[in-house]
Amino acid sequence: MKSKTLFTAMFMLMSFGVFNANAQEDKNMFNHVSLGFSTGTDGLFGFHAAAPIGDYVQTRMGISFMPKFKYDTDVTYTYNKNNVDHKGSTNLEGKLNMTDFNWLFDFYVSKSSSFHFTAGFYVGKSHLIDAYSTEPVDGLDPEDYAVLGLKIGENNSDKFATTDMNGYVDGFVKVGSFKPYLGIGFGRAVTKKRVSVLFDMGVQFWGSPSVYVHSYNDPNTFLPSETPTQEIKITSDDFGEDDAKILDTISKIKVFPVLSLKIFGRIL
């Protein structure tokens, strides 16, 4: 979800609080608005708006950002040219994508309690990690780019990908873009005081991560394409024991733990 959509939603929440501050004072319904800053495992920094929905529920929406941490590694591949198998290698750089909009509801056990249960969701990119080669792959001539298949994995794998038109390879780790959230915490985003502190712990449910590589060769005409034509899923069956364990581990990380600290200031 684009940042523009988030700020529109936050503006609407603030505006609703302004227009309802007097009429709903006794019911404590959207009569106050707080703005906050956060840091945690779901984002190194984030911004949020919150309002009460009665005495037992508060809602908050925001956006969290994680720096695009990078990691690089060398990968090997096999290709067949003129009926001869060749091996090559290239350096892959991975980039983390964790920018999420969130909309959460805090449920309190009493009017004065700071302990709460939280339910809601995060929405962000489905590509958790984007990976791409930092230079054209070794061993291929320019006329082979986006044409000659690179064998993925071992164990007689029949999966092949191609470079793009410039000789680069790329792939990604995919998770669900819609991530339900459940958790517990302490504190209230909106209080009678001007400043409040929240601590949250919980999990995002983002499904089973999967690893894909792109191919830039039309599977019907075998002609090169400037845009990806296929997303080829890589599984542990395509690799030997060591690499298979890594892929199995990745696929089992179906939830993401969230620990966050938030500081809110009431503006209405």
Side-chain angles (χ1 to χ4, degrees), residues 189-221:
V190 184
T191 66
K192 294 181 179 180
K193 299 179 180 180
R194 282 296 177 182
V195 178
S196 58
V197 178
L198 265 76
F199 175 74
D200 286 316
M201 64 182 78
V203 290
Q204 296 177 12
F205 298 88
W206 61 15
S208 180
S210 301
V211 180
Y212 292 84
V213 293
H214 279 137
S215 185
Y216 291 80
N217 183 282
D218 190 306
N220 298 315
T221 64

Side-chain angles (χ1 to χ4, degrees), residues 1 62-63 99-103 121-125 176-180 204:
M1 183 173 292
I63 189 167
T99 298
D100 292 310
F101 164 80
N102 58 77
W103 193 351
F121 61 87
Y122 286 70
V123 178
K125 290 185 177 180
S177 59
F178 180 82
K179 309 160 191 174
Q204 296 177 12

Side-chain angles (χ1 to χ4, degrees), residues 12-260:
M12 290 176 63
L13 181 62
M14 293 171 60
S15 299
F16 194 79
V18 171
F19 288 117
N20 285 271
N22 294 325
Q24 302 294 336
E25 184 68 34
D26 293 337
K27 297 180 181 179
N28 198 26
M29 296 286 291
F30 294 100
N31 58 330
H32 296 294
V33 173
S34 290
L35 297 181
F37 169 83
S38 70
T39 185
T41 59
D42 58 340
L44 190 59
F45 55 93
F47 303 96
H48 310 267
I53 310 177
D55 295 320
Y56 297 92
V57 181
Q58 293 191 353
T59 184
R60 42 193 167 102
M61 59 180 64
I63 189 167
S64 55
F65 304 86
M66 188 69 77
K68 294 183 179 295
F69 296 113
K70 295 181 179 180
Y71 173 80
D72 66 278
T73 185
D74 291 328
V75 296
T76 60
Y77 51 85
T78 303
Y79 63 95
N80 184 283
K81 188 172 183 179
N82 299 325
N83 295 319
V84 177
D85 284 338
H86 303 269
K87 289 187 178 294
S89 65
T90 190
N91 182 265
L92 279 185
E93 184 175 86
K95 180 177 64 177
L96 179 66
N97 295 313
M98 281 188 68
T99 298
D100 292 310
F101 164 80
N102 58 77
W103 193 351
L104 307 174
F105 293 85
D106 298 323
F107 301 90
Y108 294 88
V109 296
S110 71
K111 292 182 179 181
S112 60
S113 174
S114 66
F115 175 78
H116 58 264
F117 298 95
T118 302
F121 61 87
Y122 286 70
V123 178
K125 290 185 177 180
S126 61
H127 288 199
L128 179 65
I129 298 173
D130 283 317
Y132 44 86
S133 57
T134 56
E135 55 188 19
V137 299
D138 294 334
L140 297 187
D141 297 320
E143 62 265 25
D144 297 324
Y145 294 164
V147 175
L148 197 62
L150 305 179
K151 181 180 177 182
I152 301 170
E154 307 160 4
N155 298 340
N156 297 317
S157 171
D158 59 355
K159 296 179 181 178
F160 292 85
T162 67
T163 72
D164 64 13
M165 301 284 284
N166 298 308
Y168 294 84
V169 295
D170 65 271
F172 55 93
V173 177
K174 186 176 184 179
V175 296
S177 59
F178 180 82
K179 309 160 191 174
Y181 174 85
L182 291 175
I184 60 173
F186 298 90
R188 288 180 179 250
V190 184
T191 66
K192 294 181 179 180
K193 299 179 180 180
R194 282 296 177 182
V195 178
S196 58
V197 178
L198 265 76
F199 175 74
D200 286 316
M201 64 182 78
V203 290
Q204 296 177 12
F205 298 88
W206 61 15
S208 180
S210 301
V211 180
Y212 292 84
V213 293
H214 279 137
S215 185
Y216 291 80
N217 183 282
D218 190 306
N220 298 315
T221 64
F222 300 102
L223 295 176
S225 171
E226 293 184 356
T227 58
T229 57
Q230 295 183 80
E231 295 180 354
I232 302 172
K233 185 176 181 179
I234 301 175
T235 69
S236 58
D237 294 334
D238 300 322
F239 289 89
E241 183 177 355
D242 291 339
D243 291 331
K245 287 181 179 179
I246 296 174
L247 286 170
D248 276 337
T249 300
I250 292 175
S251 66
K252 292 177 181 177
I253 307 175
K254 298 181 179 181
V255 298
F256 179 72
V258 174
L259 294 173
S260 68

